[in-house]
Amino acid sequence: MKRIIVIVLLLVLVGGGGAGALIMLGVLPNPFNPPTAAQSAAAAAAAKVDAERKAKEFKPPSEAMTFVVLRDMIVPVLTDTKLERSVYISVRLNVVKSEKDAVETQIVRYENAVIDEFVPYFQTYFQKKEALDLREIKAKLNASAKKLYGDKVNDVLLVNVFTQKSKR
């Protein structure tokens, strides 16, 4: 009987000490000291910061992205009758995996649409500015892809864009 009482007392001591330690570390809420309004507001703010941090965390893709690689496109920039410069554009289309073959068979249509759109655009663009606006170029490439392919294309990856002045 004495052994049982000693074992019960030891369990109560160990359990009480463990619970006290968890309360002191803040793992368990303190039942004898309820949180004040300032503490609850601080806890709500901390929860909001945690939620924002979790929303910004990197989420890896579930599968590999599917790309259609296009040939490099050369857009001539003509003024009057002479070639002033050339703009080189390298692009890849991020497509839906099941639609890759359908996009690849009609890729020439996209290349022609891009050249048709950018020839007059760059003729007026370089009269006002000297440097390329990559965001505007990417927006135009995305608009052309969505117009031709719709939801088959997720995004346009702009690999490289640069200009080269003509030597003539």
Side-chain angles (χ1 to χ4, degrees):
M1 185 69 170
K2 289 181 183 180
R3 287 184 182 171
I4 293 176
I5 294 173
V6 171
I7 291 173
V8 169
L9 284 174
L10 284 175
L11 288 176
V12 168
L13 281 173
V14 170
L22 291 175
I23 289 172
M24 292 298 290
L25 292 173
V27 175
L28 294 177
N30 188 349
F32 304 110
N33 186 14
T36 62
Q39 290 173 337
S40 62
K48 182 179 177 184
V49 169
D50 283 344
E52 289 175 358
R53 184 181 49 81
K54 285 183 181 179
K56 291 181 182 178
E57 278 184 0
F58 174 72
K59 295 175 185 83
S62 58
E63 61 181 20
M65 294 192 289
T66 306
F67 288 105
V68 173
V69 180
L70 280 75
R71 294 177 292 178
D72 293 342
M73 294 177 274
I74 302 171
V75 181
V77 180
L78 304 169
T79 55
D80 297 329
T81 57
K82 93 175 197 191
L83 177 68
E84 181 182 325
R85 66 180 74 198
S86 299
V87 179
Y88 294 84
I89 303 173
S90 297
V91 175
R92 291 187 181 153
L93 299 178
N94 179 0
V95 297
V96 176
K97 191 173 190 174
S98 61
E99 301 292 336
K100 182 178 179 183
D101 292 334
V103 172
E104 279 182 337
T105 58
Q106 299 178 352
I107 204 66
V108 175
R109 289 181 54 211
Y110 179 71
E111 291 171 344
N112 289 337
V114 168
I115 301 254
D116 289 345
E117 182 175 355
F118 279 118
V119 166
Y121 170 75
F122 283 133
Q123 284 176 346
T124 58
Y125 181 84
F126 284 113
Q127 292 173 358
K128 303 171 196 166
K129 301 176 186 174
E130 189 65 26
L132 293 170
D133 184 5
L134 298 180
R135 292 175 199 236
E136 191 173 342
I137 292 171
K138 181 174 170 116
K140 286 185 171 293
L141 291 168
N142 267 327
S144 295
K146 292 292 182 184
K147 182 179 173 185
L148 284 174
Y149 301 115
D151 291 337
K152 294 178 183 178
V153 175
N154 296 327
D155 193 18
V156 175
L157 176 66
L158 194 58
V159 177
N160 196 2
V161 176
F162 65 93
T163 63
Q164 181 179 17
K165 291 194 176 191
S166 177
K167 295 177 183 175
R168 298 178 195 161

